[in-house]
Amino acid sequence: MSKARLMQGNEACAEGAIAAGVNFFAGYPITPSTEIAETMARLLPQHGGKFVQMEDEIASMGAILGASLAGAKVMDATSGPGFSLKQELIGFAACAEIPCVLVDVQRVGPSTGQPTSPSQADVMQARWGTHGDHPMIALAPWSVRETYDVTVEAVNLAERFRTPVILLMDEVVGHLREKVELPEQVDVYPRRQPKKTRAEGYEPFAPDTDLVPNVADFGTGYHIHVTGLIHDDTGFPSGSPEVTEQSIRRLHEKIERACGEVIRTESYFMDDAEYAVVAYGGAARTAYEAVAQARAKGQKVGLLRLITIWPFADEAIAALAGRVKGLLVAELNYGQIVHEVRRAAAGQCPVAFCGKYNMHTYEPQEITAAIDAMLAGGQN
């Protein structure tokens, strides 16, 4: 039986990564994510792993990509300014199909912003921060225990799809301490291995039946060419329009095909709800209480919590918008995911917004006031 522990969200992230098989971490300290690096520095050597503090955020990202190509399961952690610096190499990882997990413990910005204050203003950057057409998986936990579970999931998804996965935490969840009981064992997705030998005509980027290639790890006897240029199945650059189209389409479709299992949400008081709050991460903690208070007043309000941020839960939002009278999006920013909710709702019902970006998280009464305004027909 696992023992109950008092644990911080950032610590749970580190322990979840190790449980999922992460054995290499390169990072650079930045508030409010530093406890992840500190915990990895302490625990990784105990599990046969390696921790390296690099000279800056760009070098940190480059180091985990190199380690991943050599067969390691890897993670890096940062916050807003560091997340911005890593964008070019995130794009390289997407194009070269290098499995990696990057944790962004969000803080108020832009620029240096307010380093110790909570925010959810990086959600659009997680999807569109690096240039070009590319898919992205991003997850947002709301509690310490879920941070552990979602970190395990992030590592597994990165390995399964050979893609970068963003763990979108925020200062609320990262610095939160809760009593948790961690599982003694978790399901771990192994590193994909080649199904052909060199003699059988192995091509590193030839897609498997799930459209994901089984690229050999460096140093295992295979010839591998890795590039950020559009490439064919051999890994070498191609100037062909046909190869370019096929390559970009496959990068998207390998994840789109699995959206049914990748996209996760959680419902609360939704069975008879006439209105719904949509929230995620740290903001969802307050939204749960606000919805409970609304129910105590006799208001038929529920909550849809987004766990997967990207790919976006289009079908869940569309179905919800088709059965309620209004949606309220609560997020700690000036308005980002609310635009995705409006897009997915497609005019089926009004979508109101309750944003906050003043260094503080929500008080329940702020969301209940927005619920009252929504029920009264008001628009924020």
Side-chain angles (χ1 to χ4, degrees), residues 14-166:
E15 297 217 14
I18 292 172
V22 168
N23 55 5
F24 184 86
F25 181 101
Y28 187 79
I30 181 171
T31 304
S33 75
T34 301
E35 293 86 358
I36 298 175
E38 291 172 344
T39 306
M40 294 298 273
R42 176 170 54 87
L43 295 181
L44 263 180
Q46 300 174 21
H47 293 82
K50 302 292 183 182
F51 171 91
V52 182
Q53 178 173 317
M54 302 298 291
E55 65 268 28
D56 57 38
E57 290 88 350
I58 299 174
S60 302
M61 193 69 195
I64 67 166
L65 297 188
S68 181
L69 287 170
K73 289 189 175 183
V74 303
M75 189 173 83
D76 185 8
T78 190
S79 189
F83 194 45
S84 296
L85 289 169
K86 296 175 189 291
Q87 291 302 324
E88 182 178 2
L89 284 172
I90 293 173
F92 178 80
C95 185
E97 296 181 90
I98 306 173
C100 59
V101 174
L102 177 58
V103 186
D104 176 18
V105 187
Q106 300 164 89
R107 70 195 213 187
V108 175
S111 189
T112 310
Q114 298 286 3
T116 60
S117 301
S119 174
Q120 294 176 315
D122 299 352
V123 290
M124 283 297 174
Q125 187 184 23
R127 178 63 186 89
W128 303 109
T130 190
H131 58 273
D133 283 323
H134 60 92
M136 189 57 65
I137 298 176
L139 310 171
W142 80 288
S143 68
V144 174
R145 172 55 197 271
E146 190 172 81
T147 296
Y148 179 92
D149 296 335
V150 167
T151 304
V152 172
E153 182 179 0
V155 176
N156 286 340
L157 289 172
E159 294 293 329
R160 177 182 171 188
F161 295 106
R162 290 197 62 95
T163 189
V165 174
I166 309 299

Side-chain angles (χ1 to χ4, degrees), residues 260-333:
E261 55 184 293
V262 173
I263 297 174
R264 294 202 297 118
T265 63
E266 182 177 84
S267 297
Y268 178 66
F269 276 126
M270 283 304 306
D271 289 345
D272 65 342
E274 296 179 355
Y275 296 85
V277 178
V278 178
Y280 55 93
R285 301 185 64 84
T286 315
Y288 276 110
E289 175 61 24
V291 167
Q293 292 182 11
R295 283 282 171 167
K297 295 191 296 184
Q299 297 171 333
K300 291 187 176 182
V301 180
L303 170 67
L304 180 71
R305 181 170 67 87
L306 305 177
I307 302 171
T308 307
I309 306 300
W310 306 111
F312 193 67
D314 286 334
E315 292 186 5
I317 295 295
L320 181 59
R323 57 175 281 246
V324 299
K325 299 177 182 177
L327 297 172
L328 172 70
V329 180
E331 51 183 337
L332 294 170
N333 55 48

